[in-house]
Amino acid sequence: MKKLNVLRAAHDRGMQLTELAQKLGIATSSLRSRTSGNPRLDSLYEIALVLKCEVGDLFY
């Protein structure tokens, strides 16, 4: 089973979580909250859009 790993997806694209959060217009702590547990699909789409990847690429 694949697990959500936004940190790895960001790093694979040369981006730190702080930079990703800044581009999303939220605090890094908010980004971590959004991606922990059971994240909303619209949040995953927004993250994927900023990272220029597919939502499935956020999972490893």
Side-chain angles (χ1 to χ4, degrees):
M1 178 179 221
K2 293 187 174 189
K3 292 185 82 177
L4 179 64
N5 194 333
V6 173
L7 176 62
R8 182 172 175 183
H11 282 248
D12 287 351
R13 287 154 183 82
M15 193 178 299
Q16 300 292 322
L17 278 186
T18 52
E19 183 182 357
L20 175 58
Q22 182 181 16
K23 289 184 179 213
L24 290 166
I26 60 174
T28 304
S29 58
S30 296
L31 176 58
R32 289 188 179 151
S33 294
R34 283 188 184 187
T35 58
S36 65
N38 189 17
R40 293 173 41 149
L41 188 55
D42 62 332
S43 292
L44 297 179
Y45 277 118
E46 189 176 4
I47 292 166
L49 181 67
V50 170
L51 291 176
K52 297 180 180 151
C53 68
E54 300 292 324
V55 172
D57 296 336
L58 301 176
F59 294 85
Y60 291 90

